[in-house]
Structure formats: C-alpha cells, structure tokens
Amino acid sequence: MTALEALQTYFGYDSFRPMQAEIIESVLAGNDTLALLPTGGGKSLCFQVPTLVMAAGDSEGEGLCLVITPLIALMKDQVANLRERGILATAIYTGMSREEQRTALDNCLYGPYRFLYVSPERLESEEFLKRVTQLPICLIAVDEAHCISQWGYDFRPSYLRIAEIRNVLDVPVLALTATATPEVVEDIQHQLGFRQPNVFRTSFARENLHYVVRRTDDKQGQLLHILQRVPGSAIVYVRNRKRTRELAEFINSQLSTFNLADYYHAGLPASERNAKQQAWKNSQTRIIVCTNAFGMGIDKPDVRLVIHYDLPDSIEAYFQEAGRAGRDGQQAWCVLLYSERDKAIVKQRIPNNYPPAEEVERVYQLLCDYLTIGLGSGRDATFALDVEQFCTDMHLPFLTTYSALQLLTNAGYIIYNDEQDLQPRVRITLDKEDLYHLDESPFQERLLSALMRRYTGIFTEAQFIHLPRLAEDLGSTEFAVNSSLIALAKQHIIRYIPAQRVSIVHFPVPRQAEVNLSARVYADRRKVFADKLQAMLEYAENDHYCRSQLMLGYFGEPEAPLCGACDICIANRKAEVSNQQPKVQYCYNPV
Ligand code: ADP
Ligand code: MG
C-alpha cells in the first residue's frame, strides 16, 4: 500500500496538503523528522498515514504508533475519529484506573491496534516504560513537540522523558508542532536525539488575514464597533472566565438579536461546553466570548473575525488563536485591543505566574497538610482538588496558588491536572447476599453482574467505570446504562457518582521535606516568559513594521513579503497616496 492509497482508502481524501507527502516519505524512509505546519495544516495525518502503510507492509500485520500528546481532550477526539474509520486506537492518561490502563496496554499487545495515545506524564511510570518495550511499536510521534523545549511557551518537563524511550525503542521519531521559532526548532531536534537535522516546513504566512491593533481606552465601545462592521462568525478572547459571561451579556444587551453572543470557558460542565461550541459551529450563535480554552481542535472554516480583548502571553499564542480566522482562505480580521494602561497590568503577570520560591514551597506543604499526607508518604496517591476551596480554607491567594501548583508540577513534586473529565464511579452498597434476594429488572440484573465481573473491589470502594464498555457488554446504549444506574442508586442498591469535571492532583513521589526549584523549571522559565511577554508588548506598541512580517520574522522567516493588509501597511499606502511620509520605515528584519 502506498501513502496515497492509505490516504484515499482510510481517510477518503484525494490528495496531500503541502508538505504532507514529503514528511510521510521521510518517515517511511526511517528518518527522524520534524514537521512544522501551522495549526490546521494536517499534522495528524503525517503520522497516521505512514503507520498504516508500515502495518500493511508488515508480514505479521503488526505496527503500532506511540503518540505522545499533552492534550487529553484532543486525544479522545482523535481516538474516536480513527475508530470511526475502522482503525483501532486507544489512549492512556492520568485519571484512568489501573485496570483500564492495563486493558489498553493488553489490547495493544494482543490486538491489531495501530495507535496508542499517551500523555507525557505516563512516561514517568516505571511500569509503563517496562511494558511499552514489549509492544510492536514502529514509530514514535511527538505531537505539540514545542512542549519539549525550554523555549516553547508550553514547556512540560515530562516531555524530556521521551529521550529515554528512544533509548529502549529503536524506531524513528516524528515531532510535530506549529511553533516555529528557530530556538524551538533547534531544541526539539537536540532533545529528541535526532541522528541528523531534518526539518520540513511550510511558510506560516496567511495572506487572507488582516492583522490590526486598535489602541483605545474604551475597549467595550471598540468591540461593539468592530462587531458591527465585520459580519460573520466571530471569536472574542478574554483572559478571565467571569468576564466571558459579562462581555457576552453586554454584547447581547447592546446589539440586535442577530448578533447573538454566548460565552465559553473550561470551568463549565462538558455538556454545556459542547452545546455552546456546537451552536457557534452551526452559526446559530454568531459571537463566542471565551478564554483560550476555546478553539483547540475546532475546525470552523468561516470565522471572519478574531478579537483579543486582552493581550496574550506570547506571539506564538497570539498567532495560533488569531489564526483560527479565515481557514477557508477568504478575507478575515484579527484585531488586538490595546490600552496604554495594559502595560502595567501585563507586567504583573510575571510575578503572578512565578511567585517567590518560598511561596511555592508553602503551597506545597499546605497542600500536603490539607490532604493529610505525612512526610515520606503519599506516593502514587491521587486526589480530586477544588483549588478555590483549598485557597479559601487555607487563606491563600488564588492566582499565585494556581501558578504554584503548575510550578510544582513542572518540578515533579505533584501532577496537577486542571479540569479533567473524571469517569463516573460506582460502589455497590448492598452486600452480595442481599443482592440475590432482590428482584431487579432483567437488565438491572445483567448490569449488576457486569459491574461485579469488571470491577473487583466494587463492594468496598467506589470504582471508576467505563460507560461505553458496559454498554458494549450488555449490547445496549450508554444512555440506557446511565438511566439504569440512576434507578439502582434510587433503590439504594448502589452509590452512583456521575461523570464530572474536576481538577486532580497526583503525587508521583512521597511528600518531601523541602522544595527545590531548579533553574530549568523556575529562573530560566521566568526569563523565557518575560521575554515572550515583552515581544508581545512590542507587537502591540509597534507602529512601524508590517505586522505579518514582524510575526513571520519571529518565526524564522525573515524574507517574508509585506502583507499589504495589516493596519500599518494600509496606513502606509494611504500616506503614499497623499505624498506624506510613509509609516513603514523599513522592512522588519530580526537579524
Ligand atoms: P493540525 O494538527 O496540523 O492542526 P489536523 O491534523 O488536526 O491539523 O488537521 C486539520 C484538518 O485537516 C482535519 O480535519 C483533517 O482531517 C484535515 N486534513 C488533513 N490533511 C488533509 C488532506 N490531505 N486533505 C483534506 N483534508 C485534510
Ligand atoms: Mg494537531
């Protein structure tokens, strides 16, 4: 089977997008490869297609791709997508029960599975590392590979463990990212131990996008003005969850109902998030006011306008979020609202994200006390943690405490996982004897025996259950299983804790007496953070250089042409027409 045949047979597409064929060819030739494609450029196919080709060419029909990716939500999406196409795929992440993890690994060992998705934290588990060497892995794909780099805006220390996996698995690696700054590109290849430098990239230029910065002290007024001027689907990014709602309400109170606005953030329950996302995708809602939790994995082609109400943390983040506009190639606007007053507020983000080391240590010790973990104990324990409650109970400030949890995660003391969809849990509260004397409906009876068979220990402790699997066991639907569980709970036969969205904290090591934050997780990162923020401020305050050129130069494309479409280029053209001094003084060249 050729790559093109695999593309057509499994995915139903006619031809490759730019660079996909070259990347796939490089992977099939057994080369370590770094693929730089912008968001939406089609990175997933770059590891999916060659894996299917390799498996088809293997005499035993074996071939499994280990996909390492930090985004659990996207992982689930991709697994579901592959399954829809009749390709076996599975995922392992923090929060799954041990039994579920073991089952997933067994499936990969014994079944014709093609893709195993794991979060980087899995690589810290000795058991996982031992088992992974037994699997018929033919390729390691590292998605969101900028996370492996110090210089990437989303650095995750657990990504550095991938190098260890490479030592025990002698297969090529494919790294994928949409972050193209030269330092990151260099670092990814270095960290992953590329035998030879090998980078494929397309230009990140987006010719149909108009980048604009509006300086104003009346952001609300400007927002309404722009929303009225530019018709079509719009996204408004703000940084604060509460503000998403307030702004959406403000828009709805000021504009006609045709301009319906809704809000979205990661704190909402999954069902509500899906409904809001769907309504916006179908253009029933025109405007979505959201935090940066919105947009990942959403592929709406006809977004005409992306407004940033607050300054993003970096040019990478801005480029990615603004880039959700105009996927269909038609003209679209990316507007940043900026007020002179923002500068001081924005600078405050540095200490907010990097509170003093003593404070981080204090949060750690208080957290352990709060969860009653004694010194030297707690290894491998997982707790649901309501951070706001924790802060209230321990008299801690929310913002810096939250940052401290992230820093402690980066330093390996804990794994704090913000907003994870927790599987439902069940405990059978009657004892076995009493169960036999009940007369449940036949379906309930079968459900109870399926629960007992699948989840040992269900009589003593609430066990995580997997609705799709139970539905499969019973030849029924998730909805029917769920209703039946609710009915059983009402009869006090079981205790049922439905699926919920919670934050989880896990302790990979026992409680330590003190906290040491190495330069790599603290001082160096703080500097990277401050530098990126500074570059973003310079973008906002720039009034000399073409905005597109400025960004592309930052991404290592110093030769990019003037876009002719940003506010600076347009002001420049107007000045030329009226014979005034042009605004653009010279082309932006970062070197
Ligand atoms: P990225 O990870 O680079 O952001 P994805 O891999 O999620 O992008 O792909 C974005 C979308 O493009 C998906 O819906 C995918 O199915 C589609 N796509 C990818 N490659 C092709 C192709 N060759 N032809 C048509 N559609 C494609
Ligand atoms: Mg992707």
Side-chain angles (χ1 to χ4, degrees):
M1 180 184 274
T2 65
L4 188 62
E5 281 163 4
L7 179 77
Q8 292 164 344
T9 322
Y10 289 106
F11 299 95
Y13 300 135
D14 301 332
S15 57
F16 284 114
R17 292 228 181 115
M19 270 316 158
Q20 281 180 329
E22 290 84 346
I23 293 163
I24 291 166
E25 197 183 318
S26 164
V27 172
L28 286 173
N31 297 326
D32 295 336
T33 308
L34 171 55
L36 299 176
L37 296 181
T39 307
K43 287 185 282 297
S44 316
L45 280 185
C46 295
F47 59 83
Q48 289 167 346
V49 167
T51 302
L52 294 167
V53 172
M54 285 190 254
D58 186 282
S59 55
E60 328 240 289
E62 288 199 333
L64 175 72
C65 178
L66 178 67
V67 188
I68 301 161
T69 171
L71 306 165
I72 295 177
L74 288 195
M75 211 185 265
K76 292 182 183 166
D77 264 12
Q78 293 210 0
V79 168
N81 270 332
L82 287 164
R83 289 195 175 178
E84 252 166 50
R85 299 171 196 277
I87 302 163
L88 285 175
T90 189
I92 298 182
Y93 42 86
T94 325
M96 271 166 87
S97 74
R98 262 164 203 267
E99 193 200 304
E100 284 170 334
Q101 300 189 17
R102 221 168 284 142
T103 312
L105 283 166
D106 284 343
N107 282 340
C108 292
L109 187 58
Y110 302 116
Y113 273 71
R114 293 292 168 252
F115 299 94
L116 170 60
Y117 285 79
V118 302
S119 47
E121 290 82 22
R122 280 300 85 209
L123 309 182
E124 316 240 353
S125 145
E126 292 301 326
E127 190 185 335
F128 178 81
L129 287 179
K130 217 178 291 160
R131 294 224 35 202
V132 85
T133 55
Q134 304 162 349
L135 302 176
I137 292 175
C138 61
L139 175 66
I140 302 171
V142 184
D143 206 1
E144 313 294 339
H146 57 271
C147 296
I148 203 169
S149 167
Q150 271 274 56
W151 315 108
Y153 61 93
D154 200 10
F155 174 63
R156 315 260 184 125
S158 49
Y159 257 69
L160 296 172
R161 290 289 181 110
I162 301 172
E164 288 169 37
I165 288 248
R166 289 219 69 191
N167 288 335
V168 292
L169 291 175
D170 185 24
V171 296
V173 65
L174 169 63
L176 310 120
T177 178
T179 301
T181 54
E183 303 96 322
V184 174
V185 170
E186 179 69 28
D187 204 24
I188 290 173
Q189 298 180 81
H190 172 69
Q191 298 292 354
L192 288 175
F194 272 41
R195 274 159 282 204
Q196 273 170 349
N198 187 24
V199 184
F200 292 84
R201 65 184 298 165
T202 59
S203 168
F204 279 46
R206 297 281 305 274
E207 274 135 32
N208 57 321
L209 298 190
H210 296 254
Y211 296 105
V212 178
V213 175
R214 276 273 167 275
R215 278 194 217 152
T216 175
D217 283 332
D218 174 22
K219 288 192 181 179
Q220 291 200 347
Q222 271 295 326
L223 179 70
L224 292 180
H225 174 75
I226 299 164
L227 285 170
Q228 282 170 302
R229 289 264 311 257
V230 181
S233 272
I235 307 178
V236 180
Y237 281 111
V238 298
R239 289 176 63 91
N240 179 302
R241 288 182 179 177
K242 206 167 103 225
R243 272 256 286 293
T244 61
R245 180 184 191 150
E246 292 164 1
L247 262 189
E249 281 169 2
F250 170 74
I251 295 167
N252 286 333
S253 71
Q254 300 290 312
L255 299 183
S256 70
T257 49
F258 175 71
N259 296 293
L260 192 63
D262 199 359
Y263 68 99
Y264 180 108
H265 58 74
L268 297 167
S271 55
E272 214 171 306
R273 274 180 291 135
N274 287 338
K276 283 168 184 272
Q277 188 174 305
Q278 211 48 46
W280 176 79
K281 239 182 133 173
N282 303 335
S283 302
Q284 288 160 295
T285 307
R286 189 193 142 203
I287 303 155
I288 191 94
V289 186
C290 53
T291 61
N292 61 3
F294 185 81
M296 260 185 304
I298 299 170
D299 199 2
K300 183 170 166 63
D302 58 350
V303 179
R304 296 276 70 87
L305 175 64
V306 174
I307 299 181
H308 278 77
Y309 200 84
D310 300 308
L311 197 79
D313 281 336
S314 67
I315 290 194
E316 289 96 320
Y318 181 64
F319 182 79
Q320 194 148 72
E321 286 159 17
R324 298 198 169 111
R327 291 267 184 93
D328 55 7
Q330 307 291 313
Q331 302 228 338
W333 278 260
C334 310
V335 186
L336 172 65
L337 299 179
Y338 183 69
S339 137
E340 297 298 336
R341 285 188 306 230
D342 284 349
K343 197 168 184 164
I345 302 169
V346 161
K347 290 246 155 116
Q348 187 58 35
R349 285 184 202 164
I350 302 166
N352 284 348
N353 278 278
Y354 292 88
E358 310 84 67
E359 207 170 310
V360 177
E361 163 135 29
R362 206 166 84 84
V363 169
Y364 176 72
Q365 303 299 355
L366 286 175
L367 177 71
C368 292
D369 291 347
Y370 189 69
L371 300 171
T372 60
I373 296 175
L375 198 65
S377 67
R379 192 196 162 106
D380 265 341
T382 304
F383 303 85
L385 179 73
D386 178 338
V387 182
E388 278 177 47
Q389 194 60 49
F390 169 58
C391 290
T392 313
D393 293 350
M394 302 311 255
H395 306 288
L396 288 166
F398 181 73
L399 219 54
T400 48
T401 300
Y402 183 82
S403 303
L405 293 174
Q406 305 288 354
L407 286 166
L408 289 165
T409 298
N410 287 351
Y413 290 89
I414 61 171
I415 296 173
Y416 172 68
N417 208 326
D418 194 10
E419 318 285 359
Q420 177 158 336
D421 286 316
L422 200 63
Q423 310 272 19
R425 278 183 295 166
V426 169
R427 191 185 141 199
I428 302 182
T429 42
L430 288 189
D431 59 37
K432 269 197 185 122
E433 277 297 298
D434 295 334
L435 276 181
Y436 293 121
H437 303 300
L438 284 174
D439 49 351
E440 319 92 5
S441 72
F443 186 77
Q444 288 186 348
E445 196 179 312
R446 281 171 51 224
L447 176 57
L448 280 170
S449 35
L451 285 171
M452 288 187 265
R453 196 172 58 241
R454 276 216 174 264
Y455 307 103
T456 43
I458 196 164
F459 285 96
T460 44
E461 208 177 324
Q463 302 286 317
F464 288 107
I465 59 159
H466 195 63
L467 283 181
R469 208 168 295 144
L470 283 169
E472 216 175 284
D473 282 2
L474 299 171
S476 176
T477 63
E478 285 180 47
F479 181 78
V481 172
N482 188 44
S483 317
S484 200
L485 287 170
I486 293 170
L488 284 169
K490 280 200 182 130
Q491 299 165 55
H492 303 290
I493 298 172
I494 63 167
R495 202 163 96 78
Y496 180 38
I497 309 157
Q500 50 182 318
R501 206 163 165 76
V502 290
S503 303
I504 283 185
V505 60
H506 174 84
F507 287 76
V509 292
R511 176 174 179 174
Q512 308 288 305
E514 52 189 82
V515 168
N516 287 308
L517 298 173
S518 67
R520 198 165 75 189
V521 298
Y522 192 81
D524 294 355
R525 290 298 299 162
R526 186 177 52 195
K527 174 151 189 339
V528 171
F529 182 84
D531 289 350
K532 285 184 187 304
L533 199 57
Q534 185 57 36
M536 193 63 228
L537 272 169
E538 279 164 19
Y539 174 90
E541 296 189 337
N542 152 59
D543 46 23
H544 295 308
Y545 308 121
C546 162
R547 296 199 184 279
S548 164
Q549 260 190 355
L550 192 91
M551 277 194 268
L552 293 173
Y554 185 78
F555 291 141
E557 291 181 45
E559 326 261 274
L562 289 172
C563 73
C566 67
D567 52 341
I568 309 279
C569 283
I570 287 171
N572 190 31
R573 203 157 52 223
K574 280 190 191 145
E576 262 170 26
V577 169
S578 53
N579 270 330
Q580 287 164 356
Q581 186 69 18
K583 244 189 147 184
V584 180
Q585 295 180 339
Y586 43 84
C587 288
Y588 176 77
N589 187 341
V591 280

